[in-house]
């Protein structure tokens, strides 16, 4: 059974940092797509970053380039997202996702079949 469980969300002031974790089970980290997305109430889910674990190639949304960093620990089956220099516009529910059959891992929802339940990130000005 595939499971993804996010943690690490919270409330921070602008300029602060958070580290999100996504503990996974039920699949191997080998040669798959993993990604982070976010969603604000009333808006579509937005891709933040995708990574192909075969060669660690990443694709970031322009809005987070240079501020957010994705990483993986295959020994723990865990995905991370380091959020630095946070802005109020980064406030959202953040979701991790897995796409088990792709090699082009853009942060687009159609590539990913499995999703976590989300963790809230709130950035105050």
């Amino acid at each position: 059974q595939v499971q993804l469980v996010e943690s690490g969300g919270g409330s921070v002031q602008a300029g602060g940092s958070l580290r999100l974790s996504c503990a996974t089970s039920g699949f191997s980290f080998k040669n798959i797509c993993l990604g982070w997305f976010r969603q604000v109430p009333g808006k579509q889910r937005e891709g933040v970053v995708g990574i192909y674990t075969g060669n660690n190639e990443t694709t970031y949304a322009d809005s987070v380039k240079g501020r957010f960093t994705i990483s993986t620990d295959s020994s723990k089956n865990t995905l991370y997202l380091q959020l630095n220099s946070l802005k109020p516009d980064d406030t959202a529910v953040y979701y991790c996702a897995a796409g088990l059959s792709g090699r082009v891992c853009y942060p687009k929802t159609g590539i990913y079949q499995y999703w976590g339940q989300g963790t809230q990130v709130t950035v105050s000005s």
Side-chain angles (χ1 to χ4, degrees):
Q1 181 180 1
V2 173
Q3 287 191 320
L4 297 91
V5 180
E6 302 95 337
S7 62
S11 297
V12 297
Q13 290 193 326
S17 298
L18 284 172
R19 189 192 194 200
L20 307 183
S21 298
C22 175
T24 75
S25 60
F27 61 92
S28 166
F29 266 34
K30 187 175 181 180
N31 298 336
I32 64 168
C33 293
L34 295 170
W36 286 96
F37 293 76
R38 62 188 183 185
Q39 190 168 22
V40 174
K43 294 189 176 182
Q44 286 191 332
R45 192 164 295 188
E46 173 192 18
V48 175
V49 58
I51 183 170
Y52 174 56
T53 62
N55 59 10
N56 286 330
E57 182 174 354
T58 57
T59 304
Y60 288 89
D62 288 343
S63 58
V64 306
K65 279 181 183 177
R67 301 189 298 122
F68 292 6
T69 304
I70 190 171
S71 61
T72 63
D73 185 338
S74 58
S75 68
K76 297 181 179 179
N77 285 348
T78 301
L79 175 68
Y80 302 97
L81 184 66
Q82 179 68 40
L83 294 71
N84 295 331
S85 303
L86 282 161
K87 305 174 182 180
D89 284 349
D90 295 319
T91 296
V93 176
Y94 283 71
Y95 299 88
C96 60
L100 305 189
S101 58
R103 290 195 171 194
V104 180
C105 302
Y106 297 132
K108 295 185 181 297
T109 56
I111 293 174
Y112 300 83
Q113 298 89 39
Y114 300 100
W115 296 82
Q117 83 290 347
T119 186
Q120 176 71 45
V121 172
T122 303
V123 185
S124 58
S125 57

